[in-house]
Amino acid sequence: MADREAGPRPGGRSARVQASVHRAVRELLARMDRAEVTIPLIAQEAGVTPSTIYRRWGELNELLADVAVERLRPDMVPVETGSGRGDLLAWAEQYAEEMASGLGREMIRDVLAAEGAAGPRRCCAYARQQIETVAARAAARDEAFPEIDAVLDRVIAPILFRILFDEALATEKVAGLVDGAFAGVGGGAR
Amino acid sequence: MADREAGPRPGGRSARVQASVHRAVRELLARMDRAEVTIPLIAQEAGVTPSTIYRRWGELNELLADVAVERLRPDMVPVETGSGRGDLLAWAEQYAEEMASGLGREMIRDVLAAEGAAGPRRCCAYARQQIETVAARAAARDEAFPEIDAVLDRVIAPILFRILFDEALATEKVAGLVDGAFAGVGGGAR
């Protein structure tokens, strides 16, 4: 699944406004309670007019979701461990820890609070891309690897479900989820 | 896991206020956009003062979450089909359809939008209770049945993950999730 983003042209005025507004949101969130963050405050911090923000994002929820999705964009490729199972486990353990952290929970919540499915789908697409990277490496080594959708359902889904609706899984439990995703996947070339 | 609710004593004044405020919220949500629903409007519809609502729920998000959790409380036991797998499949298919509906999505969103984990955990506890009912019937028939947590991770988690972050699963796919939960569960008595 391609990650189609309708982002602004890099380096243009629109991109500079976006970068500066995003930075302002991150800085305000770092030093005050989110309930106190308002669009006029963000505009002041970013050096733009409030109407610039209203025009582009419509409302605060949408802007917070946009910033959260951007923060959830992976900034590195999954670590190489020598096997597909090892790569997936290392990546999924880190993902589980990041998402269960205070910042991770806030980001998930912001992403889900906005209207529309675009933000959540971008988050899903980011996870999918990382898993595809791991799967492609495994394929290059002729290793068996589960379908990407099976990894989403069996590894990512329980991690997020537990964070949102129950208690976050202990990191040690992630290995069991990864084993579950590999169950029934034949050995050898896929 | 017991569903410990700190609800008001049934029939008391507090319970009547709660019932009337909840009913007012449901009626307003049925006839106007949720963005237009306010605490003063709800108070008027429920025949209570706004301060009664502020005192009890604090803010609109909390009240909407409370109403949503109440709507998510199961109002029937899972249908009996003659086998644990059949019972689980019938229940999970209905659950997947209800949660993916417009009303279901709104309820999930309201539950997750409130501060604190109490609402989401009650939803998780409701699902757990229903699965426990199915599991107890299976045990009484000496059938193998997966652990409750395995059903949560393998059936409920992917259903909710897809609704929240991707596209809702087609109902036909629920059978595959149920098969996954049963994989590795031995036959015979458990």
Side-chain angles (χ1 to χ4, degrees), chain B residues 7 17 21 26 34 58 64 68 80 84 90 119 142 145 148 163 165:
Chain B
V17 167
V21 170
R26 289 195 301 269
R34 78 189 317 83
L64 291 178
E80 297 214 39
D142 264 357
F145 195 83
I148 309 297
I163 290 171
F165 291 96

Side-chain angles (χ1 to χ4, degrees), chain B residues 60-106:
Chain B
L60 184 59
N61 268 358
E62 299 297 322
L63 172 54
L64 291 178
D66 203 31
V67 172
V69 170
E70 201 52 39
R71 281 185 166 188
L72 288 166
R73 176 202 293 273
D75 51 6
M76 52 182 282
V77 294
V79 175
E80 297 214 39
T81 66
S83 76
R85 187 186 174 285
D87 289 6
L88 181 61
L89 178 59
W91 177 78
E93 284 182 343
Q94 192 188 342
Y95 181 86
E97 284 183 5
E98 286 177 5
M99 293 300 127
S101 70
L103 180 60
R105 286 167 186 270
E106 255 181 28

